[in-house]
Short mmCIF file of all heavy atoms in Angstrom, two decimals:
data_model
loop_
_atom_site.label_atom_id
_atom_site.label_comp_id
_atom_site.label_asym_id
_atom_site.label_seq_id
_atom_site.Cartn_x
_atom_site.Cartn_y
_atom_site.Cartn_z
N ILE A 1 0.85 -1.19 0.00
CA ILE A 1 0.00 0.00 0.00
C ILE A 1 0.89 1.23 0.00
O ILE A 1 1.81 1.35 0.81
CB ILE A 1 -0.92 0.01 1.24
CG1 ILE A 1 -1.85 -1.20 1.20
CG2 ILE A 1 -1.72 1.31 1.30
CD1 ILE A 1 -2.69 -1.37 2.43
N TYR A 2 0.62 2.15 -0.92
CA TYR A 2 1.36 3.41 -1.02
C TYR A 2 0.46 4.53 -0.53
O TYR A 2 -0.68 4.65 -0.97
CB TYR A 2 1.77 3.68 -2.47
CG TYR A 2 2.64 2.61 -3.04
CD1 TYR A 2 2.10 1.55 -3.77
CD2 TYR A 2 4.02 2.64 -2.86
CE1 TYR A 2 2.90 0.55 -4.29
CE2 TYR A 2 4.84 1.65 -3.38
CZ TYR A 2 4.27 0.61 -4.09
OH TYR A 2 5.06 -0.39 -4.59
N LEU A 3 0.96 5.37 0.35
CA LEU A 3 0.21 6.53 0.83
C LEU A 3 0.86 7.77 0.24
O LEU A 3 2.04 8.01 0.42
CB LEU A 3 0.25 6.60 2.36
CG LEU A 3 -0.35 5.40 3.08
CD1 LEU A 3 -0.18 5.55 4.59
CD2 LEU A 3 -1.82 5.22 2.73
N ILE A 4 0.08 8.53 -0.49
CA ILE A 4 0.58 9.73 -1.17
C ILE A 4 -0.29 10.91 -0.77
O ILE A 4 -1.52 10.84 -0.87
CB ILE A 4 0.57 9.54 -2.70
CG1 ILE A 4 1.46 8.36 -3.07
CG2 ILE A 4 1.02 10.81 -3.40
CD1 ILE A 4 1.37 7.97 -4.52
N ARG A 5 0.34 11.98 -0.34
CA ARG A 5 -0.41 13.18 0.05
C ARG A 5 -0.83 13.95 -1.20
O ARG A 5 -0.14 13.94 -2.22
CB ARG A 5 0.47 14.07 0.93
CG ARG A 5 -0.29 15.20 1.59
CD ARG A 5 0.61 15.98 2.54
NE ARG A 5 -0.12 16.88 3.38
CZ ARG A 5 -0.62 18.05 3.00
NH1 ARG A 5 -0.47 18.45 1.76
NH2 ARG A 5 -1.27 18.82 3.85
N HIS A 6 -1.94 14.64 -1.10
CA HIS A 6 -2.43 15.44 -2.23
C HIS A 6 -1.44 16.54 -2.59
O HIS A 6 -0.58 16.93 -1.80
CB HIS A 6 -3.81 16.04 -1.92
CG HIS A 6 -3.81 17.01 -0.78
ND1 HIS A 6 -3.37 18.30 -0.91
CD2 HIS A 6 -4.20 16.87 0.50
CE1 HIS A 6 -3.49 18.92 0.25
NE2 HIS A 6 -3.98 18.06 1.13
N GLY A 7 -1.60 17.09 -3.79
CA GLY A 7 -0.75 18.18 -4.24
C GLY A 7 -1.12 19.50 -3.57
O GLY A 7 -2.06 19.59 -2.77
N ILE A 8 -0.40 20.53 -3.92
CA ILE A 8 -0.55 21.85 -3.29
C ILE A 8 -1.79 22.57 -3.82
O ILE A 8 -2.05 22.62 -5.01
CB ILE A 8 0.70 22.71 -3.58
CG1 ILE A 8 1.92 22.07 -2.92
CG2 ILE A 8 0.53 24.13 -3.08
CD1 ILE A 8 3.23 22.74 -3.30
N THR A 9 -2.54 23.17 -2.90
CA THR A 9 -3.71 23.98 -3.25
C THR A 9 -3.32 25.46 -3.13
O THR A 9 -2.27 25.80 -2.60
CB THR A 9 -4.89 23.69 -2.30
OG1 THR A 9 -4.53 24.12 -0.99
CG2 THR A 9 -5.25 22.22 -2.29
N GLU A 10 -4.20 26.34 -3.60
CA GLU A 10 -3.95 27.78 -3.47
C GLU A 10 -3.84 28.16 -1.99
O GLU A 10 -3.01 28.96 -1.60
CB GLU A 10 -5.07 28.59 -4.14
CG GLU A 10 -5.06 28.53 -5.65
CD GLU A 10 -3.83 29.15 -6.29
OE1 GLU A 10 -3.21 30.07 -5.69
OE2 GLU A 10 -3.47 28.72 -7.39
N ALA A 11 -4.69 27.57 -1.17
CA ALA A 11 -4.65 27.87 0.27
C ALA A 11 -3.32 27.45 0.88
O ALA A 11 -2.77 28.15 1.73
CB ALA A 11 -5.80 27.17 0.98
N ASN A 12 -2.78 26.30 0.44
CA ASN A 12 -1.47 25.86 0.93
C ASN A 12 -0.41 26.89 0.58
O ASN A 12 0.46 27.20 1.40
CB ASN A 12 -1.07 24.52 0.32
CG ASN A 12 -1.94 23.36 0.72
OD1 ASN A 12 -2.18 22.46 -0.08
ND2 ASN A 12 -2.43 23.34 1.96
N LEU A 13 -0.47 27.42 -0.62
CA LEU A 13 0.51 28.43 -1.05
C LEU A 13 0.40 29.70 -0.23
O LEU A 13 1.39 30.40 -0.03
CB LEU A 13 0.33 28.75 -2.54
CG LEU A 13 0.69 27.62 -3.51
CD1 LEU A 13 0.30 28.02 -4.94
CD2 LEU A 13 2.16 27.28 -3.44
N GLU A 14 -0.81 30.01 0.27
CA GLU A 14 -1.03 31.19 1.10
C GLU A 14 -0.75 30.92 2.58
O GLU A 14 -0.92 31.80 3.41
CB GLU A 14 -2.47 31.67 0.93
CG GLU A 14 -2.78 32.14 -0.48
CD GLU A 14 -4.26 32.36 -0.71
OE1 GLU A 14 -5.06 32.22 0.24
OE2 GLU A 14 -4.63 32.67 -1.86
N GLY A 15 -0.34 29.68 2.90
CA GLY A 15 -0.02 29.33 4.28
C GLY A 15 -1.24 29.07 5.14
O GLY A 15 -1.16 29.13 6.37
N LYS A 16 -2.38 28.79 4.52
CA LYS A 16 -3.61 28.56 5.26
C LYS A 16 -3.83 27.07 5.48
O LYS A 16 -3.53 26.25 4.62
CB LYS A 16 -4.81 29.11 4.48
CG LYS A 16 -4.80 30.60 4.30
CD LYS A 16 -5.99 31.03 3.50
CE LYS A 16 -5.97 32.53 3.24
NZ LYS A 16 -7.07 32.93 2.35
N TYR A 17 -4.37 26.74 6.64
CA TYR A 17 -4.80 25.38 6.92
C TYR A 17 -6.26 25.29 6.51
O TYR A 17 -7.09 26.07 6.98
CB TYR A 17 -4.64 25.07 8.41
CG TYR A 17 -5.23 23.74 8.79
CD1 TYR A 17 -4.56 22.56 8.48
CD2 TYR A 17 -6.45 23.66 9.43
CE1 TYR A 17 -5.09 21.33 8.80
CE2 TYR A 17 -7.01 22.43 9.76
CZ TYR A 17 -6.32 21.27 9.44
OH TYR A 17 -6.86 20.05 9.75
N ILE A 18 -6.60 24.37 5.61
CA ILE A 18 -7.96 24.32 5.09
C ILE A 18 -8.77 23.13 5.60
O ILE A 18 -9.97 23.06 5.37
CB ILE A 18 -7.99 24.37 3.55
CG1 ILE A 18 -7.16 23.26 2.94
CG2 ILE A 18 -7.54 25.73 3.07
CD1 ILE A 18 -7.26 23.19 1.43
N GLY A 19 -8.12 22.19 6.28
CA GLY A 19 -8.85 21.07 6.86
C GLY A 19 -9.74 20.35 5.87
O GLY A 19 -9.27 19.88 4.84
N LEU A 20 -11.04 20.30 6.15
CA LEU A 20 -11.97 19.60 5.27
C LEU A 20 -12.58 20.50 4.20
O LEU A 20 -13.46 20.07 3.46
CB LEU A 20 -13.10 18.98 6.10
CG LEU A 20 -12.68 17.83 7.01
CD1 LEU A 20 -13.86 17.36 7.85
CD2 LEU A 20 -12.11 16.69 6.20
N THR A 21 -12.12 21.76 4.11
CA THR A 21 -12.60 22.65 3.06
C THR A 21 -12.25 22.02 1.72
O THR A 21 -11.13 21.59 1.49
CB THR A 21 -11.94 24.04 3.17
OG1 THR A 21 -12.22 24.56 4.46
CG2 THR A 21 -12.46 24.98 2.10
N ASP A 22 -13.23 21.93 0.84
CA ASP A 22 -13.03 21.26 -0.45
C ASP A 22 -12.48 22.26 -1.47
O ASP A 22 -13.19 23.17 -1.90
CB ASP A 22 -14.35 20.67 -0.92
CG ASP A 22 -14.17 19.49 -1.84
OD1 ASP A 22 -13.02 19.05 -2.04
OD2 ASP A 22 -15.18 18.99 -2.35
N SER A 23 -11.24 22.10 -1.85
CA SER A 23 -10.64 23.00 -2.83
C SER A 23 -9.84 22.21 -3.85
O SER A 23 -9.42 21.08 -3.60
CB SER A 23 -9.73 24.02 -2.13
OG SER A 23 -8.67 23.35 -1.48
N TYR A 24 -9.65 22.82 -5.00
CA TYR A 24 -8.90 22.19 -6.09
C TYR A 24 -7.41 22.42 -5.91
O TYR A 24 -6.98 23.32 -5.18
CB TYR A 24 -9.33 22.78 -7.44
CG TYR A 24 -10.73 22.38 -7.85
CD1 TYR A 24 -11.79 23.26 -7.70
CD2 TYR A 24 -10.97 21.13 -8.37
CE1 TYR A 24 -13.08 22.89 -8.08
CE2 TYR A 24 -12.25 20.75 -8.76
CZ TYR A 24 -13.30 21.64 -8.62
OH TYR A 24 -14.56 21.27 -8.99
N LEU A 25 -6.63 21.63 -6.63
CA LEU A 25 -5.19 21.84 -6.66
C LEU A 25 -4.88 23.14 -7.39
O LEU A 25 -5.62 23.55 -8.29
CB LEU A 25 -4.49 20.69 -7.40
CG LEU A 25 -4.59 19.31 -6.78
CD1 LEU A 25 -3.90 18.30 -7.70
CD2 LEU A 25 -3.98 19.27 -5.41
N SER A 26 -3.78 23.75 -7.04
CA SER A 26 -3.32 24.94 -7.76
C SER A 26 -2.58 24.46 -9.01
O SER A 26 -2.15 23.30 -9.08
CB SER A 26 -2.39 25.76 -6.89
OG SER A 26 -1.17 25.06 -6.69
N PRO A 27 -2.40 25.34 -10.01
CA PRO A 27 -1.60 24.96 -11.17
C PRO A 27 -0.19 24.51 -10.76
O PRO A 27 0.37 23.58 -11.35
CB PRO A 27 -1.56 26.24 -12.01
CG PRO A 27 -2.82 26.96 -11.64
CD PRO A 27 -3.02 26.66 -10.18
N VAL A 28 0.36 25.15 -9.73
CA VAL A 28 1.68 24.76 -9.22
C VAL A 28 1.62 23.33 -8.67
O VAL A 28 2.51 22.52 -8.91
CB VAL A 28 2.15 25.73 -8.11
CG1 VAL A 28 3.41 25.23 -7.43
CG2 VAL A 28 2.35 27.12 -8.66
N GLY A 29 0.56 23.01 -7.97
CA GLY A 29 0.38 21.68 -7.40
C GLY A 29 0.29 20.60 -8.47
O GLY A 29 0.90 19.54 -8.36
N ILE A 30 -0.46 20.89 -9.53
CA ILE A 30 -0.60 19.93 -10.63
C ILE A 30 0.74 19.73 -11.32
O ILE A 30 1.15 18.59 -11.59
CB ILE A 30 -1.68 20.41 -11.63
CG1 ILE A 30 -3.06 20.37 -10.96
CG2 ILE A 30 -1.66 19.55 -12.89
CD1 ILE A 30 -4.16 21.02 -11.74
N GLU A 31 1.43 20.82 -11.60
CA GLU A 31 2.75 20.74 -12.26
C GLU A 31 3.72 19.93 -11.40
O GLU A 31 4.48 19.10 -11.91
CB GLU A 31 3.29 22.14 -12.50
CG GLU A 31 4.61 22.16 -13.24
CD GLU A 31 5.10 23.59 -13.47
OE1 GLU A 31 4.26 24.47 -13.70
OE2 GLU A 31 6.32 23.79 -13.42
N GLU A 32 3.69 20.16 -10.10
CA GLU A 32 4.60 19.46 -9.19
C GLU A 32 4.31 17.96 -9.16
O GLU A 32 5.23 17.16 -9.11
CB GLU A 32 4.45 20.04 -7.78
CG GLU A 32 5.46 19.51 -6.80
CD GLU A 32 5.33 20.18 -5.46
OE1 GLU A 32 4.35 19.89 -4.73
OE2 GLU A 32 6.22 21.00 -5.14
N ILE A 33 3.05 17.58 -9.21
CA ILE A 33 2.70 16.15 -9.22
C ILE A 33 3.28 15.48 -10.46
O ILE A 33 3.90 14.42 -10.38
CB ILE A 33 1.18 15.95 -9.17
CG1 ILE A 33 0.65 16.35 -7.81
CG2 ILE A 33 0.81 14.50 -9.46
CD1 ILE A 33 -0.85 16.44 -7.75
N PHE A 34 3.07 16.10 -11.62
CA PHE A 34 3.59 15.50 -12.85
C PHE A 34 5.11 15.49 -12.87
O PHE A 34 5.73 14.54 -13.37
CB PHE A 34 3.02 16.19 -14.09
CG PHE A 34 1.62 15.75 -14.41
CD1 PHE A 34 0.56 16.60 -14.19
CD2 PHE A 34 1.38 14.49 -14.91
CE1 PHE A 34 -0.74 16.19 -14.47
CE2 PHE A 34 0.09 14.06 -15.19
CZ PHE A 34 -0.97 14.92 -14.97
N ASP A 35 5.73 16.52 -12.31
CA ASP A 35 7.19 16.56 -12.23
C ASP A 35 7.71 15.42 -11.36
O ASP A 35 8.64 14.71 -11.73
CB ASP A 35 7.65 17.91 -11.69
CG ASP A 35 9.16 18.06 -11.68
OD1 ASP A 35 9.78 17.79 -12.74
OD2 ASP A 35 9.72 18.43 -10.63
N LYS A 36 7.09 15.24 -10.20
CA LYS A 36 7.50 14.16 -9.30
C LYS A 36 7.22 12.80 -9.93
O LYS A 36 7.99 11.86 -9.78
CB LYS A 36 6.79 14.27 -7.96
CG LYS A 36 7.32 15.39 -7.10
CD LYS A 36 6.63 15.44 -5.77
CE LYS A 36 7.22 16.55 -4.93
NZ LYS A 36 6.61 16.60 -3.60
N LYS A 37 6.11 12.70 -10.64
CA LYS A 37 5.77 11.44 -11.28
C LYS A 37 6.83 11.08 -12.33
O LYS A 37 7.20 9.91 -12.47
CB LYS A 37 4.40 11.55 -11.94
CG LYS A 37 3.94 10.29 -12.62
CD LYS A 37 2.57 10.48 -13.23
CE LYS A 37 2.18 9.26 -14.02
NZ LYS A 37 0.89 9.41 -14.67
N GLU A 38 7.31 12.10 -13.04
CA GLU A 38 8.32 11.87 -14.07
C GLU A 38 9.67 11.48 -13.46
O GLU A 38 10.38 10.63 -13.99
CB GLU A 38 8.49 13.15 -14.90
CG GLU A 38 9.45 13.01 -16.05
CD GLU A 38 9.55 14.30 -16.84
OE1 GLU A 38 8.49 14.79 -17.29
OE2 GLU A 38 10.67 14.81 -16.98
N LYS A 39 10.03 12.07 -12.33
CA LYS A 39 11.34 11.85 -11.71
C LYS A 39 11.38 10.63 -10.79
O LYS A 39 12.43 10.05 -10.58
CB LYS A 39 11.77 13.08 -10.93
CG LYS A 39 12.08 14.25 -11.83
CD LYS A 39 12.49 15.46 -11.05
CE LYS A 39 12.77 16.61 -12.00
NZ LYS A 39 13.07 17.83 -11.29
N LEU A 40 10.25 10.28 -10.20
CA LEU A 40 10.19 9.16 -9.26
C LEU A 40 9.53 7.96 -9.91
O LEU A 40 8.80 8.09 -10.89
CB LEU A 40 9.41 9.55 -8.00
CG LEU A 40 9.94 10.74 -7.21
CD1 LEU A 40 8.98 11.09 -6.08
CD2 LEU A 40 11.32 10.44 -6.65
N TYR A 41 9.77 6.84 -9.35
CA TYR A 41 9.15 5.62 -9.86
C TYR A 41 7.87 5.33 -9.10
O TYR A 41 7.89 5.08 -7.91
CB TYR A 41 10.11 4.44 -9.73
CG TYR A 41 9.50 3.14 -10.15
CD1 TYR A 41 9.25 2.88 -11.49
CD2 TYR A 41 9.15 2.19 -9.21
CE1 TYR A 41 8.68 1.69 -11.88
CE2 TYR A 41 8.58 0.99 -9.59
CZ TYR A 41 8.35 0.75 -10.93
OH TYR A 41 7.77 -0.42 -11.31
N TYR A 42 6.76 5.39 -9.80
CA TYR A 42 5.49 4.98 -9.23
C TYR A 42 5.12 3.66 -9.90
O TYR A 42 4.86 3.62 -11.10
CB TYR A 42 4.39 6.01 -9.49
CG TYR A 42 4.52 7.26 -8.67
CD1 TYR A 42 5.02 8.42 -9.23
CD2 TYR A 42 4.16 7.26 -7.34
CE1 TYR A 42 5.14 9.58 -8.47
CE2 TYR A 42 4.27 8.41 -6.58
CZ TYR A 42 4.76 9.55 -7.15
OH TYR A 42 4.89 10.69 -6.40
N PRO A 43 5.11 2.57 -9.16
CA PRO A 43 4.80 1.27 -9.77
C PRO A 43 3.36 1.20 -10.24
O PRO A 43 2.50 1.93 -9.74
CB PRO A 43 5.07 0.29 -8.64
CG PRO A 43 4.92 1.07 -7.40
CD PRO A 43 5.31 2.48 -7.72
N PRO A 44 3.09 0.32 -11.18
CA PRO A 44 1.70 0.15 -11.63
C PRO A 44 0.84 -0.34 -10.46
O PRO A 44 1.32 -1.11 -9.63
CB PRO A 44 1.79 -0.89 -12.74
CG PRO A 44 3.17 -1.39 -12.76
CD PRO A 44 4.02 -0.54 -11.87
N VAL A 45 -0.37 0.11 -10.43
CA VAL A 45 -1.28 -0.29 -9.35
C VAL A 45 -2.56 -0.86 -9.94
O VAL A 45 -2.92 -0.57 -11.08
CB VAL A 45 -1.62 0.89 -8.42
CG1 VAL A 45 -0.38 1.39 -7.70
CG2 VAL A 45 -2.28 2.03 -9.17
N GLN A 46 -3.25 -1.65 -9.14
CA GLN A 46 -4.51 -2.23 -9.58
C GLN A 46 -5.70 -1.37 -9.17
O GLN A 46 -6.71 -1.32 -9.86
CB GLN A 46 -4.67 -3.63 -9.00
CG GLN A 46 -3.66 -4.60 -9.56
CD GLN A 46 -3.78 -5.98 -8.90
OE1 GLN A 46 -4.41 -6.12 -7.86
NE2 GLN A 46 -3.17 -6.96 -9.51
N LYS A 47 -5.58 -0.70 -8.05
CA LYS A 47 -6.67 0.13 -7.54
C LYS A 47 -6.12 1.39 -6.91
O LYS A 47 -5.02 1.41 -6.39
CB LYS A 47 -7.45 -0.64 -6.47
CG LYS A 47 -8.05 -1.92 -6.95
CD LYS A 47 -9.43 -2.07 -6.41
CE LYS A 47 -9.96 -3.40 -6.88
NZ LYS A 47 -11.23 -3.32 -7.46
#
C-alpha cells in the first residue's frame, strides 16, 4: 500500500490550513505532481 499526500492547493501556497474545506489543486500543485511522477518511480497499481 502506497500513501501519497495530495498536491498543493492555493490555500497551501497562502499558508492557510484548510482542513476539510473542499478546494482544487493549484496549477503549481498539478505541475509538481507530474514533475514528481516523471522523476520518481510509481509502480503500476490495480486500484
Side-chain angles (χ1 to χ4, degrees):
I1 298 174
Y2 300 94
L3 300 176
I4 300 172
R5 190 176 192 283
H6 64 78
I8 296 172
T9 65
E10 289 295 333
N12 295 145
L13 292 173
E14 295 169 4
K16 295 178 183 175
Y17 173 76
I18 56 175
L20 292 176
T21 302
D22 206 6
S23 63
Y24 290 102
L25 296 177
S26 69
V28 172
I30 293 170
E31 183 179 325
E32 187 176 73
I33 291 169
F34 281 108
D35 185 50
K36 287 182 179 182
K37 181 179 174 182
E38 184 179 304
K39 291 179 181 175
L40 301 174
Y41 175 72
Y42 287 103
V45 296
Q46 293 176 345
K47 301 222 182 230

